[in-house]
Amino acid sequence: MTDIAKAANVSLATVDRVLNRRKGVKPRTVERVLKVALELGYLDRAEHARLSRPRPPNVAFLLPMGGNPYLRLLGDKVRAIAQSKSREDAQVRCYFIESFDADALAEAIRHHAGWADGIAFMAIDHPLVREAVEEVSAAGRRIVTVISDLQHSLRDAYVGLDNQAAGRTAGYLLGRFCGARTSSVALVAGSRNYRAHAERETGFLGLLEEMYPGLRVVGVREGHDDRDENYRHTLSLLEQNEDLVGIYNVGGSSDGIGRALQEKGRSKDVVFIGHGLTTDTRRLLIEGTMDAVINSDPDVLLASALRVFGDLQRDDARTSIALTPVKMDVIFRENIPSVQSVAGRPLIRLDPTTAFETSAD
């Protein structure tokens, strides 16, 4: 390595960075160091070709902390990917930040841009967050929003459901299950600061107005994906509306709603639809407290996000990528996947040399 540094007229630290594919070395310098390493016999041609390919990106995932089981599951899967990655894969880190706090998210985006080539995060649609995105994007970082998107920003891609379609699907199912009776239904959101939740709400309300005008929406409560808040909101809704026949949980922590329905003896006659197949919603489906869960496979979501960063790493153009929304699964008690088929499935891995997913399946 000392000989390479001398012949390439660079420092030993620069040689170390090039051979270990770390950030901070200009492309021309990388090319010169690798050329010298090949000429001196330090690298063979296969190793030279491998190291000449674009360096896999460093990717930081920023997720809201709190009690949302789906987001905790997503975080666990990101960390599993981080532990399983080799030097030839994207280097991944996962951080949990204060939920529903635009200032904390904006600060985290700026902070982690120091290490990361790309940042993936569940967006709070707020001017502070959009400003941080524009700032780090101008500095060359790639930005991908997951689950919830931003309006009018310089993000490179969005990976997640078509949330308005998800809300309309929930409205359609709830209307079909409740029938033609004239009754009241309720909607519980995490927070409208998440564009995903606002879009699901819009889709749900629009569908009911179009197809089921007899179902009157009596309350839109924000539970902040907290099981205890959702529990209290549901108790209040049940006490104040004797004709309540349906609840749509736009966000997470459905177990709080389920607990209230069970305690009040209403779990069999109130239609309950929510999001995210996790331990709590799985149990509620099997017990019959929940009627349907709208889900996006977290493995597919993460693989799609990492594929986008790989594509962007190979493309210097500052253009956004239009992606097809992540596939929406509607899960009922009768088609719920077995625990083994979910827990035992190998994580999808990303081949860094191509834009395609590879899987042990």
Side-chain angles (χ1 to χ4, degrees), residues 95-322:
Y95 304 93
F96 282 86
I97 60 173
E98 190 66 35
S99 301
F100 313 105
D101 189 328
D103 187 65
L105 177 56
E107 180 60 29
I109 290 170
R110 291 189 176 95
H111 174 74
H112 293 293
W115 170 82
D117 302 296
I119 300 175
F121 63 97
M122 182 173 169
I124 299 173
D125 199 6
H126 189 280
L128 288 172
V129 177
R130 291 194 292 270
E131 184 70 16
V133 167
E134 293 190 12
E135 183 179 313
V136 302
S137 180
R141 303 300 181 267
R142 300 296 195 172
I143 303 295
V144 173
T145 55
V146 296
I147 302 174
S148 189
D149 200 9
L150 283 172
Q151 281 187 319
H152 312 302
S153 75
L154 291 180
R155 62 101 172 114
D156 294 285
Y158 163 69
V159 177
L161 293 174
D162 178 336
N163 285 297
Q164 188 160 349
R168 289 183 64 85
T169 300
Y172 179 78
L173 290 172
L174 188 143
R176 293 287 291 179
F177 288 162
C178 291
R181 43 188 168 156
T182 301
S183 304
S184 61
V185 296
L187 185 147
V188 177
S191 170
R192 294 185 182 90
N193 287 336
Y194 286 118
R195 186 177 170 192
H197 292 193
E199 289 177 343
R200 291 173 189 175
E201 177 185 332
T202 298
F204 178 80
L205 297 176
L207 190 286
L208 290 188
E209 184 177 349
E210 293 169 22
M211 297 187 64
Y212 302 102
L215 293 177
R216 179 173 55 95
V217 180
V218 294
V220 180
R221 311 293 177 91
E222 290 192 357
H224 302 100
D225 288 346
D226 180 89
R227 57 173 49 90
D228 292 329
E229 277 195 63
N230 285 348
Y231 169 74
R232 291 191 294 271
H233 284 320
T234 305
L235 289 179
S236 174
L237 287 165
L238 292 171
E239 291 169 358
Q240 296 173 13
N241 303 279
E242 294 183 357
D243 65 340
L244 187 73
V245 295
I247 297 176
Y248 171 38
N249 183 21
V250 170
S253 297
S254 287
D255 52 342
I257 298 173
R259 178 159 60 102
L261 291 173
Q262 291 167 351
E263 284 185 7
K264 292 298 184 179
R266 300 292 306 279
S267 61
K268 301 304 180 183
D269 61 286
V270 173
V271 175
F272 179 19
I273 296 172
H275 280 264
L277 183 63
T278 53
T279 302
D280 63 326
T281 55
R282 179 186 182 85
R283 174 179 53 80
L284 292 170
L285 280 171
I286 292 172
E287 293 172 350
T289 301
M290 286 192 81
D291 296 278
V293 168
I294 296 171
N295 188 56
S296 54
D297 189 317
D299 287 334
V300 172
L301 187 147
L302 293 177
S304 298
L306 289 175
R307 185 178 69 244
V308 168
F309 283 119
D311 291 346
L312 291 169
Q313 187 83 345
R314 288 182 290 274
D315 182 8
D316 292 332
R318 189 81 240 184
T319 56
S320 62
I321 297 178

Side-chain angles (χ1 to χ4, degrees), residues 22 38 72 84 227:
R22 289 195 284 268
L38 178 64
R72 290 206 308 269
S84 68
R227 57 173 49 90

